[in-house]
Amino acid sequence: MPIPRLFLDQPFRPGARLVCSPDQAGYLTRVMRLQAGGALRVFNGQDGEWAATLAEVGRRGEAVIALDRQTRVQAATPDLWLLFAPVKRQATDLIVEKATELGASRLQPVITRRTIAETVRLERLLLIAREAAEQTERLDLPAIAAPMALAKALGAWAPGRLLLFADEAGECPDQPWGGQQGRARPIAEVLAAAPEAPLAVLIGPEGGFDVEERRAIRSHPAALPVSLGPRILRAETAVIAALAVIQALKGDWRERVEAP
Ligand code: SAH
């Protein structure tokens, strides 16, 4: 069994004894079969990663974790935002999980005209992000913002951040996928020519953006339309593909990785 890894939303200091949530205690004792005295690793998004011990397991399943020492120092996560239109529940869950694994720093659900998801369950998405961060050896969690109307997100855009707009369509309404005219340039080409700046990527809903939305996004001063190739991808595939390309060309996939 690998050494369990937990996110604890509490400050760390040597010798501290921290009580974890009943769900986390259940994960440690029932799923990971950890007993009192067993080793685990913990992180809180600020103080790096620490070696710790499961100090006590109470009758009612409550658990106390004793901090030992810091084993990794906190490192900055790349400043990379994902704006996505919530899709069906499973696909939205997948987007949150994969964006966390791929190192997005902020996830912003945006409501578009063709967004079909009625509600976004933020608590659930936070839990998915936490579990993905625990599993993927991240030292922090991505921020997950409350859903916002697309127009509002564009209107409140902080200057300086580029918005890569994943835009699959051409401009002719009477041709399949809008024809060839007005197609976005390939993402790698756009990134190579882009100035150094923090990045965000915008992925639309299953039915895509409507004509007016597309016009509004394209005319936004921060927007750079990008193509993810000749195939139309599902929204969740487009998220994964775009984040991977961005990390490889502009993000932390360019760094050499040291052995853990
Ligand atoms: N227009 C479509 C498909 C939408 S795909 C339809 O009417 O069904 C969902 C989202 O994924 C799109 O809004 C876009 O942001 C992104 N996407 C999918 N394939 C893409 C591609 N080849 N290039 C750029 N973006 C793409």
mmCIF file with all atom_site columns, all heavy atoms in Angstrom, residues 114 165-169 177 202-209 226-235 238, ligand 1:
data_model
loop_
_atom_site.group_PDB
_atom_site.id
_atom_site.type_symbol
_atom_site.label_atom_id
_atom_site.label_alt_id
_atom_site.label_comp_id
_atom_site.label_asym_id
_atom_site.label_entity_id
_atom_site.label_seq_id
_atom_site.pdbx_PDB_ins_code
_atom_site.Cartn_x
_atom_site.Cartn_y
_atom_site.Cartn_z
_atom_site.occupancy
_atom_site.B_iso_or_equiv
_atom_site.pdbx_formal_charge
_atom_site.auth_seq_id
_atom_site.auth_comp_id
_atom_site.auth_asym_id
_atom_site.auth_atom_id
_atom_site.pdbx_PDB_model_num
ATOM   1   N N   . ARG A 1 114 ? -25.892 27.944 -24.383 1.00 0.00 ? 114 ARG A N   1
ATOM   2   C CA  . ARG A 1 114 ? -26.206 26.523 -24.593 1.00 0.00 ? 114 ARG A CA  1
ATOM   3   C C   . ARG A 1 114 ? -25.777 25.642 -23.424 1.00 0.00 ? 114 ARG A C   1
ATOM   4   O O   . ARG A 1 114 ? -25.700 24.420 -23.573 1.00 0.00 ? 114 ARG A O   1
ATOM   5   C CB  . ARG A 1 114 ? -25.555 26.041 -25.886 1.00 0.00 ? 114 ARG A CB  1
ATOM   6   C CG  . ARG A 1 114 ? -26.130 26.729 -27.102 1.00 0.00 ? 114 ARG A CG  1
ATOM   7   C CD  . ARG A 1 114 ? -25.583 26.124 -28.373 1.00 0.00 ? 114 ARG A CD  1
ATOM   8   N NE  . ARG A 1 114 ? -26.011 26.897 -29.529 1.00 0.00 ? 114 ARG A NE  1
ATOM   9   C CZ  . ARG A 1 114 ? -25.282 27.072 -30.625 1.00 0.00 ? 114 ARG A CZ  1
ATOM   10  N NH1 . ARG A 1 114 ? -24.080 26.524 -30.706 1.00 0.00 ? 114 ARG A NH1 1
ATOM   11  N NH2 . ARG A 1 114 ? -25.738 27.772 -31.622 1.00 0.00 ? 114 ARG A NH2 1
ATOM   12  N N   . PHE A 1 165 ? -9.137  31.121 -26.498 1.00 0.00 ? 165 PHE A N   1
ATOM   13  C CA  . PHE A 1 165 ? -10.524 30.746 -26.749 1.00 0.00 ? 165 PHE A CA  1
ATOM   14  C C   . PHE A 1 165 ? -10.538 29.535 -27.686 1.00 0.00 ? 165 PHE A C   1
ATOM   15  O O   . PHE A 1 165 ? -10.190 29.662 -28.866 1.00 0.00 ? 165 PHE A O   1
ATOM   16  C CB  . PHE A 1 165 ? -11.249 31.955 -27.357 1.00 0.00 ? 165 PHE A CB  1
ATOM   17  C CG  . PHE A 1 165 ? -12.548 31.651 -28.029 1.00 0.00 ? 165 PHE A CG  1
ATOM   18  C CD1 . PHE A 1 165 ? -13.429 30.710 -27.499 1.00 0.00 ? 165 PHE A CD1 1
ATOM   19  C CD2 . PHE A 1 165 ? -12.914 32.328 -29.187 1.00 0.00 ? 165 PHE A CD2 1
ATOM   20  C CE1 . PHE A 1 165 ? -14.631 30.422 -28.120 1.00 0.00 ? 165 PHE A CE1 1
ATOM   21  C CE2 . PHE A 1 165 ? -14.117 32.050 -29.815 1.00 0.00 ? 165 PHE A CE2 1
ATOM   22  C CZ  . PHE A 1 165 ? -14.974 31.094 -29.285 1.00 0.00 ? 165 PHE A CZ  1
ATOM   23  N N   . ALA A 1 166 ? -10.908 28.377 -27.139 1.00 0.00 ? 166 ALA A N   1
ATOM   24  C CA  . ALA A 1 166 ? -10.950 27.152 -27.956 1.00 0.00 ? 166 ALA A CA  1
ATOM   25  C C   . ALA A 1 166 ? -12.156 27.242 -28.886 1.00 0.00 ? 166 ALA A C   1
ATOM   26  O O   . ALA A 1 166 ? -13.302 27.128 -28.472 1.00 0.00 ? 166 ALA A O   1
ATOM   27  C CB  . ALA A 1 166 ? -11.037 25.917 -27.066 1.00 0.00 ? 166 ALA A CB  1
ATOM   28  N N   . ASP A 1 167 ? -11.870 27.476 -30.143 1.00 0.00 ? 167 ASP A N   1
ATOM   29  C CA  . ASP A 1 167 ? -12.890 27.847 -31.119 1.00 0.00 ? 167 ASP A CA  1
ATOM   30  C C   . ASP A 1 167 ? -12.782 26.900 -32.312 1.00 0.00 ? 167 ASP A C   1
ATOM   31  O O   . ASP A 1 167 ? -11.865 26.998 -33.114 1.00 0.00 ? 167 ASP A O   1
ATOM   32  C CB  . ASP A 1 167 ? -12.600 29.295 -31.542 1.00 0.00 ? 167 ASP A CB  1
ATOM   33  C CG  . ASP A 1 167 ? -13.676 29.848 -32.448 1.00 0.00 ? 167 ASP A CG  1
ATOM   34  O OD1 . ASP A 1 167 ? -14.719 29.194 -32.597 1.00 0.00 ? 167 ASP A OD1 1
ATOM   35  O OD2 . ASP A 1 167 ? -13.458 30.946 -32.999 1.00 0.00 ? 167 ASP A OD2 1
ATOM   36  N N   . GLU A 1 168 ? -13.752 25.978 -32.382 1.00 0.00 ? 168 GLU A N   1
ATOM   37  C CA  . GLU A 1 168 ? -13.648 24.914 -33.385 1.00 0.00 ? 168 GLU A CA  1
ATOM   38  C C   . GLU A 1 168 ? -14.244 25.290 -34.728 1.00 0.00 ? 168 GLU A C   1
ATOM   39  O O   . GLU A 1 168 ? -14.035 24.592 -35.713 1.00 0.00 ? 168 GLU A O   1
ATOM   40  C CB  . GLU A 1 168 ? -14.324 23.647 -32.850 1.00 0.00 ? 168 GLU A CB  1
ATOM   41  C CG  . GLU A 1 168 ? -15.852 23.643 -32.857 1.00 0.00 ? 168 GLU A CG  1
ATOM   42  C CD  . GLU A 1 168 ? -16.504 24.509 -31.774 1.00 0.00 ? 168 GLU A CD  1
ATOM   43  O OE1 . GLU A 1 168 ? -15.763 25.171 -31.027 1.00 0.00 ? 168 GLU A OE1 1
ATOM   44  O OE2 . GLU A 1 168 ? -17.731 24.540 -31.714 1.00 0.00 ? 168 GLU A OE2 1
ATOM   45  N N   . ALA A 1 169 ? -15.008 26.387 -34.782 1.00 0.00 ? 169 ALA A N   1
ATOM   46  C CA  . ALA A 1 169 ? -15.850 26.607 -35.951 1.00 0.00 ? 169 ALA A CA  1
ATOM   47  C C   . ALA A 1 169 ? -15.309 27.657 -36.910 1.00 0.00 ? 169 ALA A C   1
ATOM   48  O O   . ALA A 1 169 ? -14.535 28.532 -36.533 1.00 0.00 ? 169 ALA A O   1
ATOM   49  C CB  . ALA A 1 169 ? -17.253 27.014 -35.494 1.00 0.00 ? 169 ALA A CB  1
ATOM   50  N N   . TRP A 1 177 ? -19.811 22.878 -39.594 1.00 0.00 ? 177 TRP A N   1
ATOM   51  C CA  . TRP A 1 177 ? -18.831 23.475 -38.679 1.00 0.00 ? 177 TRP A CA  1
ATOM   52  C C   . TRP A 1 177 ? -18.351 24.837 -39.144 1.00 0.00 ? 177 TRP A C   1
ATOM   53  O O   . TRP A 1 177 ? -17.225 25.235 -38.871 1.00 0.00 ? 177 TRP A O   1
ATOM   54  C CB  . TRP A 1 177 ? -17.626 22.550 -38.457 1.00 0.00 ? 177 TRP A CB  1
ATOM   55  C CG  . TRP A 1 177 ? -18.033 21.197 -38.003 1.00 0.00 ? 177 TRP A CG  1
ATOM   56  C CD1 . TRP A 1 177 ? -17.896 20.041 -38.686 1.00 0.00 ? 177 TRP A CD1 1
ATOM   57  C CD2 . TRP A 1 177 ? -18.690 20.866 -36.768 1.00 0.00 ? 177 TRP A CD2 1
ATOM   58  N NE1 . TRP A 1 177 ? -18.450 18.989 -37.968 1.00 0.00 ? 177 TRP A NE1 1
ATOM   59  C CE2 . TRP A 1 177 ? -18.936 19.475 -36.780 1.00 0.00 ? 177 TRP A CE2 1
ATOM   60  C CE3 . TRP A 1 177 ? -19.102 21.613 -35.662 1.00 0.00 ? 177 TRP A CE3 1
ATOM   61  C CZ2 . TRP A 1 177 ? -19.570 18.821 -35.731 1.00 0.00 ? 177 TRP A CZ2 1
ATOM   62  C CZ3 . TRP A 1 177 ? -19.738 20.956 -34.619 1.00 0.00 ? 177 TRP A CZ3 1
ATOM   63  C CH2 . TRP A 1 177 ? -19.963 19.576 -34.664 1.00 0.00 ? 177 TRP A CH2 1
ATOM   64  N N   . LEU A 1 202 ? -10.568 29.019 -22.426 1.00 0.00 ? 202 LEU A N   1
ATOM   65  C CA  . LEU A 1 202 ? -12.039 28.965 -22.376 1.00 0.00 ? 202 LEU A CA  1
ATOM   66  C C   . LEU A 1 202 ? -12.556 27.849 -23.276 1.00 0.00 ? 202 LEU A C   1
ATOM   67  O O   . LEU A 1 202 ? -12.280 27.842 -24.481 1.00 0.00 ? 202 LEU A O   1
ATOM   68  C CB  . LEU A 1 202 ? -12.610 30.314 -22.833 1.00 0.00 ? 202 LEU A CB  1
ATOM   69  C CG  . LEU A 1 202 ? -14.121 30.368 -23.103 1.00 0.00 ? 202 LEU A CG  1
ATOM   70  C CD1 . LEU A 1 202 ? -14.922 30.099 -21.830 1.00 0.00 ? 202 LEU A CD1 1
ATOM   71  C CD2 . LEU A 1 202 ? -14.511 31.745 -23.684 1.00 0.00 ? 202 LEU A CD2 1
ATOM   72  N N   . ILE A 1 203 ? -13.282 26.913 -22.668 1.00 0.00 ? 203 ILE A N   1
ATOM   73  C CA  . ILE A 1 203 ? -13.858 25.784 -23.412 1.00 0.00 ? 203 ILE A CA  1
ATOM   74  C C   . ILE A 1 203 ? -15.385 25.872 -23.317 1.00 0.00 ? 203 ILE A C   1
ATOM   75  O O   . ILE A 1 203 ? -15.930 26.067 -22.225 1.00 0.00 ? 203 ILE A O   1
ATOM   76  C CB  . ILE A 1 203 ? -13.395 24.433 -22.817 1.00 0.00 ? 203 ILE A CB  1
ATOM   77  C CG1 . ILE A 1 203 ? -11.873 24.369 -22.671 1.00 0.00 ? 203 ILE A CG1 1
ATOM   78  C CG2 . ILE A 1 203 ? -13.943 23.256 -23.628 1.00 0.00 ? 203 ILE A CG2 1
ATOM   79  C CD1 . ILE A 1 203 ? -11.079 24.246 -23.936 1.00 0.00 ? 203 ILE A CD1 1
ATOM   80  N N   . GLY A 1 204 ? -16.040 25.691 -24.441 1.00 0.00 ? 204 GLY A N   1
ATOM   81  C CA  . GLY A 1 204 ? -17.493 25.845 -24.486 1.00 0.00 ? 204 GLY A CA  1
ATOM   82  C C   . GLY A 1 204 ? -18.260 24.597 -24.099 1.00 0.00 ? 204 GLY A C   1
ATOM   83  O O   . GLY A 1 204 ? -17.681 23.562 -23.807 1.00 0.00 ? 204 GLY A O   1
ATOM   84  N N   . PRO A 1 205 ? -19.588 24.715 -24.113 1.00 0.00 ? 205 PRO A N   1
ATOM   85  C CA  . PRO A 1 205 ? -20.445 23.582 -23.753 1.00 0.00 ? 205 PRO A CA  1
ATOM   86  C C   . PRO A 1 205 ? -20.561 22.580 -24.913 1.00 0.00 ? 205 PRO A C   1
ATOM   87  O O   . PRO A 1 205 ? -20.062 22.845 -26.008 1.00 0.00 ? 205 PRO A O   1
ATOM   88  C CB  . PRO A 1 205 ? -21.794 24.239 -23.491 1.00 0.00 ? 205 PRO A CB  1
ATOM   89  C CG  . PRO A 1 205 ? -21.798 25.438 -24.383 1.00 0.00 ? 205 PRO A CG  1
ATOM   90  C CD  . PRO A 1 205 ? -20.365 25.906 -24.471 1.00 0.00 ? 205 PRO A CD  1
ATOM   91  N N   . GLU A 1 206 ? -21.217 21.483 -24.677 1.00 0.00 ? 206 GLU A N   1
ATOM   92  C CA  . GLU A 1 206 ? -21.378 20.438 -25.682 1.00 0.00 ? 206 GLU A CA  1
ATOM   93  C C   . GLU A 1 206 ? -21.903 20.989 -27.012 1.00 0.00 ? 206 GLU A C   1
ATOM   94  O O   . GLU A 1 206 ? -21.462 20.576 -28.070 1.00 0.00 ? 206 GLU A O   1
ATOM   95  C CB  . GLU A 1 206 ? -22.328 19.352 -25.132 1.00 0.00 ? 206 GLU A CB  1
ATOM   96  C CG  . GLU A 1 206 ? -21.788 17.955 -25.099 1.00 0.00 ? 206 GLU A CG  1
ATOM   97  C CD  . GLU A 1 206 ? -20.275 17.797 -25.157 1.00 0.00 ? 206 GLU A CD  1
ATOM   98  O OE1 . GLU A 1 206 ? -19.712 17.945 -26.268 1.00 0.00 ? 206 GLU A OE1 1
ATOM   99  O OE2 . GLU A 1 206 ? -19.650 17.492 -24.139 1.00 0.00 ? 206 GLU A OE2 1
ATOM   100 N N   . GLY A 1 207 ? -22.830 21.924 -26.947 1.00 0.00 ? 207 GLY A N   1
ATOM   101 C CA  . GLY A 1 207 ? -23.389 22.480 -28.188 1.00 0.00 ? 207 GLY A CA  1
ATOM   102 C C   . GLY A 1 207 ? -22.598 23.651 -28.746 1.00 0.00 ? 207 GLY A C   1
ATOM   103 O O   . GLY A 1 207 ? -23.007 24.277 -29.724 1.00 0.00 ? 207 GLY A O   1
ATOM   104 N N   . GLY A 1 208 ? -21.472 23.971 -28.147 1.00 0.00 ? 208 GLY A N   1
ATOM   105 C CA  . GLY A 1 208 ? -20.640 25.076 -28.607 1.00 0.00 ? 208 GLY A CA  1
ATOM   106 C C   . GLY A 1 208 ? -21.210 26.437 -28.208 1.00 0.00 ? 208 GLY A C   1
ATOM   107 O O   . GLY A 1 208 ? -22.222 26.529 -27.517 1.00 0.00 ? 208 GLY A O   1
ATOM   108 N N   . PHE A 1 209 ? -20.538 27.498 -28.637 1.00 0.00 ? 209 PHE A N   1
ATOM   109 C CA  . PHE A 1 209 ? -21.015 28.871 -28.383 1.00 0.00 ? 209 PHE A CA  1
ATOM   110 C C   . PHE A 1 209 ? -21.937 29.272 -29.508 1.00 0.00 ? 209 PHE A C   1
ATOM   111 O O   . PHE A 1 209 ? -21.784 28.798 -30.635 1.00 0.00 ? 209 PHE A O   1
ATOM   112 C CB  . PHE A 1 209 ? -19.825 29.831 -28.334 1.00 0.00 ? 209 PHE A CB  1
ATOM   113 C CG  . PHE A 1 209 ? -18.923 29.589 -27.158 1.00 0.00 ? 209 PHE A CG  1
ATOM   114 C CD1 . PHE A 1 209 ? -17.731 28.886 -27.308 1.00 0.00 ? 209 PHE A CD1 1
ATOM   115 C CD2 . PHE A 1 209 ? -19.259 30.047 -25.888 1.00 0.00 ? 209 PHE A CD2 1
ATOM   116 C CE1 . PHE A 1 209 ? -16.900 28.654 -26.223 1.00 0.00 ? 209 PHE A CE1 1
ATOM   117 C CE2 . PHE A 1 209 ? -18.436 29.814 -24.798 1.00 0.00 ? 209 PHE A CE2 1
ATOM   118 C CZ  . PHE A 1 209 ? -17.251 29.116 -24.968 1.00 0.00 ? 209 PHE A CZ  1
ATOM   119 N N   . VAL A 1 226 ? -8.088  29.829 -30.647 1.00 0.00 ? 226 VAL A N   1
ATOM   120 C CA  . VAL A 1 226 ? -7.152  28.737 -30.963 1.00 0.00 ? 226 VAL A CA  1
ATOM   121 C C   . VAL A 1 226 ? -7.926  27.521 -31.438 1.00 0.00 ? 226 VAL A C   1
ATOM   122 O O   . VAL A 1 226 ? -9.038  27.253 -30.989 1.00 0.00 ? 226 VAL A O   1
ATOM   123 C CB  . VAL A 1 226 ? -6.282  28.329 -29.739 1.00 0.00 ? 226 VAL A CB  1
ATOM   124 C CG1 . VAL A 1 226 ? -5.374  29.463 -29.317 1.00 0.00 ? 226 VAL A CG1 1
ATOM   125 C CG2 . VAL A 1 226 ? -7.126  27.846 -28.568 1.00 0.00 ? 226 VAL A CG2 1
ATOM   126 N N   . SER A 1 227 ? -7.296  26.776 -32.344 1.00 0.00 ? 227 SER A N   1
ATOM   127 C CA  . SER A 1 227 ? -7.870  25.512 -32.802 1.00 0.00 ? 227 SER A CA  1
ATOM   128 C C   . SER A 1 227 ? -7.158  24.360 -32.110 1.00 0.00 ? 227 SER A C   1
ATOM   129 O O   . SER A 1 227 ? -5.950  24.405 -31.890 1.00 0.00 ? 227 SER A O   1
ATOM   130 C CB  . SER A 1 227 ? -7.707  25.391 -34.315 1.00 0.00 ? 227 SER A CB  1
ATOM   131 O OG  . SER A 1 227 ? -7.848  24.037 -34.696 1.00 0.00 ? 227 SER A OG  1
ATOM   132 N N   . LEU A 1 228 ? -7.940  23.340 -31.776 1.00 0.00 ? 228 LEU A N   1
ATOM   133 C CA  . LEU A 1 228 ? -7.383  22.103 -31.205 1.00 0.00 ? 228 LEU A CA  1
ATOM   134 C C   . LEU A 1 228 ? -7.437  20.992 -32.247 1.00 0.00 ? 228 LEU A C   1
ATOM   135 O O   . LEU A 1 228 ? -7.684  19.843 -31.922 1.00 0.00 ? 228 LEU A O   1
ATOM   136 C CB  . LEU A 1 228 ? -8.167  21.710 -29.946 1.00 0.00 ? 228 LEU A CB  1
ATOM   137 C CG  . LEU A 1 228 ? -8.192  22.742 -28.811 1.00 0.00 ? 228 LEU A CG  1
ATOM   138 C CD1 . LEU A 1 228 ? -9.157  22.313 -27.713 1.00 0.00 ? 228 LEU A CD1 1
ATOM   139 C CD2 . LEU A 1 228 ? -6.788  22.938 -28.225 1.00 0.00 ? 228 LEU A CD2 1
ATOM   140 N N   . GLY A 1 229 ? -7.244  21.367 -33.501 1.00 0.00 ? 229 GLY A N   1
ATOM   141 C CA  . GLY A 1 229 ? -7.138  20.367 -34.548 1.00 0.00 ? 229 GLY A CA  1
ATOM   142 C C   . GLY A 1 229 ? -8.414  20.159 -35.340 1.00 0.00 ? 229 GLY A C   1
ATOM   143 O O   . GLY A 1 229 ? -9.438  20.792 -35.071 1.00 0.00 ? 229 GLY A O   1
ATOM   144 N N   . PRO A 1 230 ? -8.348  19.252 -36.320 1.00 0.00 ? 230 PRO A N   1
ATOM   145 C CA  . PRO A 1 230 ? -9.445  19.094 -37.275 1.00 0.00 ? 230 PRO A CA  1
ATOM   146 C C   . PRO A 1 230 ? -10.615 18.284 -36.761 1.00 0.00 ? 230 PRO A C   1
ATOM   147 O O   . PRO A 1 230 ? -11.626 18.161 -37.448 1.00 0.00 ? 230 PRO A O   1
ATOM   148 C CB  . PRO A 1 230 ? -8.772  18.367 -38.451 1.00 0.00 ? 230 PRO A CB  1
ATOM   149 C CG  . PRO A 1 230 ? -7.661  17.606 -37.831 1.00 0.00 ? 230 PRO A CG  1
ATOM   150 C CD  . PRO A 1 230 ? -7.189  18.423 -36.658 1.00 0.00 ? 230 PRO A CD  1
ATOM   151 N N   . ARG A 1 231 ? -10.511 17.679 -35.591 1.00 0.00 ? 231 ARG A N   1
ATOM   152 C CA  . ARG A 1 231 ? -11.641 16.917 -35.053 1.00 0.00 ? 231 ARG A CA  1
ATOM   153 C C   . ARG A 1 231 ? -12.383 17.734 -34.007 1.00 0.00 ? 231 ARG A C   1
ATOM   154 O O   . ARG A 1 231 ? -11.768 18.475 -33.256 1.00 0.00 ? 231 ARG A O   1
ATOM   155 C CB  . ARG A 1 231 ? -11.142 15.605 -34.436 1.00 0.00 ? 231 ARG A CB  1
ATOM   156 C CG  . ARG A 1 231 ? -10.677 14.597 -35.485 1.00 0.00 ? 231 ARG A CG  1
ATOM   157 C CD  . ARG A 1 231 ? -9.832  13.514 -34.868 1.00 0.00 ? 231 ARG A CD  1
ATOM   158 N NE  . ARG A 1 231 ? -8.587  14.046 -34.332 1.00 0.00 ? 231 ARG A NE  1
ATOM   159 C CZ  . ARG A 1 231 ? -7.482  14.242 -35.044 1.00 0.00 ? 231 ARG A CZ  1
ATOM   160 N NH1 . ARG A 1 231 ? -7.463  13.924 -36.320 1.00 0.00 ? 231 ARG A NH1 1
ATOM   161 N NH2 . ARG A 1 231 ? -6.395  14.731 -34.490 1.00 0.00 ? 231 ARG A NH2 1
ATOM   162 N N   . ILE A 1 232 ? -13.694 17.566 -33.980 1.00 0.00 ? 232 ILE A N   1
ATOM   163 C CA  . ILE A 1 232 ? -14.491 18.242 -32.950 1.00 0.00 ? 232 ILE A CA  1
ATOM   164 C C   . ILE A 1 232 ? -14.431 17.373 -31.702 1.00 0.00 ? 232 ILE A C   1
ATOM   165 O O   . ILE A 1 232 ? -14.810 16.206 -31.718 1.00 0.00 ? 232 ILE A O   1
ATOM   166 C CB  . ILE A 1 232 ? -15.956 18.403 -33.413 1.00 0.00 ? 232 ILE A CB  1
ATOM   167 C CG1 . ILE A 1 232 ? -16.031 19.178 -34.724 1.00 0.00 ? 232 ILE A CG1 1
ATOM   168 C CG2 . ILE A 1 232 ? -16.777 19.098 -32.323 1.00 0.00 ? 232 ILE A CG2 1
ATOM   169 C CD1 . ILE A 1 232 ? -15.497 20.588 -34.670 1.00 0.00 ? 232 ILE A CD1 1
ATOM   170 N N   . LEU A 1 233 ? -13.935 17.970 -30.646 1.00 0.00 ? 233 LEU A N   1
ATOM   171 C CA  . LEU A 1 233 ? -13.745 17.214 -29.402 1.00 0.00 ? 233 LEU A CA  1
ATOM   172 C C   . LEU A 1 233 ? -14.918 17.453 -28.468 1.00 0.00 ? 233 LEU A C   1
ATOM   173 O O   . LEU A 1 233 ? -15.529 18.521 -28.490 1.00 0.00 ? 233 LEU A O   1
ATOM   174 C CB  . LEU A 1 233 ? -12.453 17.687 -28.719 1.00 0.00 ? 233 LEU A CB  1
ATOM   175 C CG  . LEU A 1 233 ? -11.197 17.686 -29.593 1.00 0.00 ? 233 LEU A CG  1
ATOM   176 C CD1 . LEU A 1 233 ? -10.033 18.329 -28.841 1.00 0.00 ? 233 LEU A CD1 1
ATOM   177 C CD2 . LEU A 1 233 ? -10.834 16.272 -30.021 1.00 0.00 ? 233 LEU A CD2 1
ATOM   178 N N   . ARG A 1 234 ? -15.182 16.497 -27.634 1.00 0.00 ? 234 ARG A N   1
ATOM   179 C CA  . ARG A 1 234 ? -16.122 16.747 -26.559 1.00 0.00 ? 234 ARG A CA  1
ATOM   180 C C   . ARG A 1 234 ? -15.500 17.788 -25.630 1.00 0.00 ? 234 ARG A C   1
ATOM   181 O O   . ARG A 1 234 ? -14.279 17.879 -25.534 1.00 0.00 ? 234 ARG A O   1
ATOM   182 C CB  . ARG A 1 234 ? -16.371 15.470 -25.761 1.00 0.00 ? 234 ARG A CB  1
ATOM   183 C CG  . ARG A 1 234 ? -17.315 14.513 -26.425 1.00 0.00 ? 234 ARG A CG  1
ATOM   184 C CD  . ARG A 1 234 ? -17.443 13.285 -25.550 1.00 0.00 ? 234 ARG A CD  1
ATOM   185 N NE  . ARG A 1 234 ? -18.436 12.392 -26.091 1.00 0.00 ? 234 ARG A NE  1
ATOM   186 C CZ  . ARG A 1 234 ? -19.739 12.452 -25.786 1.00 0.00 ? 234 ARG A CZ  1
ATOM   187 N NH1 . ARG A 1 234 ? -20.174 13.359 -24.936 1.00 0.00 ? 234 ARG A NH1 1
ATOM   188 N NH2 . ARG A 1 234 ? -20.575 11.610 -26.316 1.00 0.00 ? 234 ARG A NH2 1
ATOM   189 N N   . ALA A 1 235 ? -16.358 18.504 -24.900 1.00 0.00 ? 235 ALA A N   1
ATOM   190 C CA  . ALA A 1 235 ? -15.839 19.583 -24.050 1.00 0.00 ? 235 ALA A CA  1
ATOM   191 C C   . ALA A 1 235 ? -14.760 19.069 -23.097 1.00 0.00 ? 235 ALA A C   1
ATOM   192 O O   . ALA A 1 235 ? -13.713 19.701 -22.915 1.00 0.00 ? 235 ALA A O   1
ATOM   193 C CB  . ALA A 1 235 ? -16.985 20.215 -23.273 1.00 0.00 ? 235 ALA A CB  1
ATOM   194 N N   . ALA A 1 238 ? -11.576 18.476 -24.883 1.00 0.00 ? 238 ALA A N   1
ATOM   195 C CA  . ALA A 1 238 ? -10.962 19.757 -25.258 1.00 0.00 ? 238 ALA A CA  1
ATOM   196 C C   . ALA A 1 238 ? -10.231 20.374 -24.052 1.00 0.00 ? 238 ALA A C   1
ATOM   197 O O   . ALA A 1 238 ? -9.131  20.923 -24.201 1.00 0.00 ? 238 ALA A O   1
ATOM   198 C CB  . ALA A 1 238 ? -12.025 20.718 -25.795 1.00 0.00 ? 238 ALA A CB  1
HETATM 199 N N1  . SAH B 2 .   ? -19.846 23.298 -32.089 1.00 0.00 ? 1   SAH B N1  1
HETATM 200 C C1  . SAH B 2 .   ? -20.107 22.036 -31.535 1.00 0.00 ? 1   SAH B C1  1
HETATM 201 C C2  . SAH B 2 .   ? -19.143 21.328 -30.656 1.00 0.00 ? 1   SAH B C2  1
HETATM 202 C C3  . SAH B 2 .   ? -18.776 21.933 -29.362 1.00 0.00 ? 1   SAH B C3  1
HETATM 203 S S1  . SAH B 2 .   ? -17.460 21.059 -28.663 1.00 0.00 ? 1   SAH B S1  1
HETATM 204 C C4  . SAH B 2 .   ? -21.514 21.619 -31.529 1.00 0.00 ? 1   SAH B C4  1
HETATM 205 O O1  . SAH B 2 .   ? -22.296 22.402 -32.020 1.00 0.00 ? 1   SAH B O1  1
HETATM 206 O O2  . SAH B 2 .   ? -21.843 20.565 -31.046 1.00 0.00 ? 1   SAH B O2  1
HETATM 207 C C5  . SAH B 2 .   ? -17.322 21.792 -27.092 1.00 0.00 ? 1   SAH B C5  1
HETATM 208 C C6  . SAH B 2 .   ? -16.235 22.818 -26.933 1.00 0.00 ? 1   SAH B C6  1
HETATM 209 O O3  . SAH B 2 .   ? -14.972 22.198 -27.055 1.00 0.00 ? 1   SAH B O3  1
HETATM 210 C C7  . SAH B 2 .   ? -16.238 23.942 -27.947 1.00 0.00 ? 1   SAH B C7  1
HETATM 211 O O4  . SAH B 2 .   ? -17.079 24.991 -27.580 1.00 0.00 ? 1   SAH B O4  1
HETATM 212 C C8  . SAH B 2 .   ? -14.768 24.345 -27.977 1.00 0.00 ? 1   SAH B C8  1
HETATM 213 O O5  . SAH B 2 .   ? -14.495 25.289 -26.962 1.00 0.00 ? 1   SAH B O5  1
HETATM 214 C C9  . SAH B 2 .   ? -14.038 23.069 -27.699 1.00 0.00 ? 1   SAH B C9  1
HETATM 215 N N2  . SAH B 2 .   ? -13.547 22.369 -28.904 1.00 0.00 ? 1   SAH B N2  1
HETATM 216 C C10 . SAH B 2 .   ? -13.902 21.139 -29.335 1.00 0.00 ? 1   SAH B C10 1
HETATM 217 N N3  . SAH B 2 .   ? -13.218 20.783 -30.435 1.00 0.00 ? 1   SAH B N3  1
HETATM 218 C C11 . SAH B 2 .   ? -12.391 21.804 -30.718 1.00 0.00 ? 1   SAH B C11 1
HETATM 219 C C12 . SAH B 2 .   ? -11.411 22.061 -31.730 1.00 0.00 ? 1   SAH B C12 1
HETATM 220 N N4  . SAH B 2 .   ? -11.152 21.171 -32.712 1.00 0.00 ? 1   SAH B N4  1
HETATM 221 N N5  . SAH B 2 .   ? -10.758 23.241 -31.712 1.00 0.00 ? 1   SAH B N5  1
HETATM 222 C C13 . SAH B 2 .   ? -11.015 24.163 -30.748 1.00 0.00 ? 1   SAH B C13 1
HETATM 223 N N6  . SAH B 2 .   ? -11.920 23.992 -29.771 1.00 0.00 ? 1   SAH B N6  1
HETATM 224 C C14 . SAH B 2 .   ? -12.596 22.832 -29.737 1.00 0.00 ? 1   SAH B C14 1
#
